[in-house]
Amino acid sequence: MTEREFLERALTDAAVQVRDLYRRRHELSIQHKQGPTDFVTAGDLQIQQYIEKLIAESFPGDRLVAEEQGLDRMPDDRDQRCWVLDPIDGTHNFAVGLMPTFGVSLALVEAGRPILGGVALPMIDQLLIAEQGQGAWRDGQRVHVSDHDLLEQAKIEIDFSRLANRRLVLTRGHDIINTAGQIRSQGSAVVGLCAVATGDGDGYVHPSLKPWDYAASLLIVTEAGGKVSRLDGTEVHIFDGLNGILAANPTLHARMLELLN
Ligand code: 2AM
Ligand code: CA
């Protein structure tokens, strides 16, 4: 089995489990992490354990970096090949909320760059896959970023993140917020980023993401013709310790970068 076949199988199987977990989300136990709005559910843990086991069986030498259960330590060798997993991105929407805006994200990273990435959006039953140099697909169909070139007519997702980062979003994001045609803030990095890749959105900004939140989607956006960088425009190395992410089609990326800085 190739890595890509593995990725597709793991995410498809995980999506089946997530749909079942979502139906009984009110029964799932919740553990708080750093604050009252920062928690992990038994659903996140089940999906992480499931994919961790699959990787151990199919690629026993490979390292896994994942959000939960102590796997969130960055590798000592930051160029090491590893899998990067967010079992549920948008946990808050998964556990509480009317709209099921969340996804499962798995990437294979080498030398700090994703070479393979997949996102399952279980409740709309879509699977996005990208392979370095090969393209990006949604359920087998190629996807491409939008060709909207006017920020005034663009739909931009800005994530206000946690309280500590909100001032940063409001100061640096001020000109984007005051210019963009539409602003969204849906609470799932993979949904915001994949919308850029499919052209359903035009841009995405988050002040403070962790590698598992964006590793797969970064490749999906890039392979769909988009551009992803840090907030100062520098190229992303997944384990560079930086947190900000700006993604958009190339024209809007340049415009948003100018306004952010
Ligand atoms: P999560 O649901 O996996 O926690 C919401 O603001 C979006 O940003 C979600 O994608 C969420 O991922 C992520 N996120 C929120 N706070 C974060 C933090 N402090 N560090 C990393 N990612 C965060
Ligand atoms: Ca998560």
Side-chain angles (χ1 to χ4, degrees), residues 10-205:
L11 287 172
T12 302
D13 291 355
V16 173
Q17 293 186 35
V18 172
R19 280 192 285 275
D20 172 59
L21 288 162
Y22 185 72
R23 273 182 224 108
R24 44 190 193 86
R25 63 193 181 281
H26 301 300
E27 300 158 22
L28 301 175
S29 64
I30 285 181
Q31 290 166 34
H32 288 275
K33 299 204 281 189
Q34 283 165 24
T37 59
D38 186 13
F39 54 75
V40 57
T41 75
D44 303 59
L45 302 180
Q46 176 182 315
I47 299 301
Q48 177 164 319
Q49 280 158 14
Y50 175 69
I51 293 181
E52 182 182 2
K53 183 166 163 283
L54 289 185
I55 292 172
E57 283 164 7
S58 295
F59 303 102
D62 282 356
R63 163 97 196 250
L64 170 65
V65 173
E67 181 171 15
E68 315 298 348
Q69 295 185 304
L71 293 185
D72 57 345
R73 211 172 56 80
M74 302 302 134
D76 294 329
D77 172 5
R78 55 176 232 157
D79 289 333
Q80 184 185 348
R81 166 183 156 123
C82 55
W83 295 86
V84 180
L85 168 69
D86 191 343
I88 297 182
D89 179 80
T91 295
H92 212 282
N93 294 340
F94 168 78
V96 186
L98 183 62
M99 303 301 280
T101 307
F102 52 83
V104 183
S105 175
L106 180 61
L108 179 59
V109 174
E110 260 179 29
R113 317 255 180 254
I115 57 170
L116 186 64
V119 167
L121 303 172
M123 306 314 290
I124 55 169
D125 198 11
Q126 292 189 10
L127 179 64
L128 289 108
I129 300 280
E131 207 173 339
Q132 189 181 45
Q134 305 296 313
W137 298 264
R138 170 169 53 185
D139 299 331
Q141 305 276 342
R142 285 296 284 261
V143 292
H144 206 276
V145 294
S146 75
D147 57 7
H148 298 156
D149 51 9
L150 289 177
L151 187 57
E152 289 76 359
Q153 293 172 9
K155 183 160 79 183
I156 304 298
E157 169 122 7
I158 295 199
D159 199 308
F160 289 87
S161 189
R162 52 179 60 185
L163 197 53
N165 296 311
R166 226 162 279 166
R167 188 184 299 272
L168 177 78
V169 177
L170 289 170
T171 51
R172 290 191 65 185
H174 178 271
D175 290 348
I176 294 175
I177 294 169
N178 277 310
T179 309
Q182 300 203 42
I183 294 288
R184 296 284 187 279
S185 195
Q186 301 187 82
S188 164
V190 300
V191 170
L193 287 163
C194 287
V196 174
T198 60
D200 292 300
D202 301 300
Y204 179 79
V205 188

Side-chain angles (χ1 to χ4, degrees), residues 206-237:
H206 196 302
S208 176
L209 288 176
K210 294 287 176 58
W212 43 83
D213 295 319
Y214 64 81
S217 317
L218 185 161
L219 186 66
I220 295 169
V221 173
T222 309
E223 289 294 329
K227 190 165 162 60
V228 183
S229 71
R230 295 302 182 190
L231 298 187
D232 63 359
T234 53
E235 205 177 326
V236 178
H237 181 298

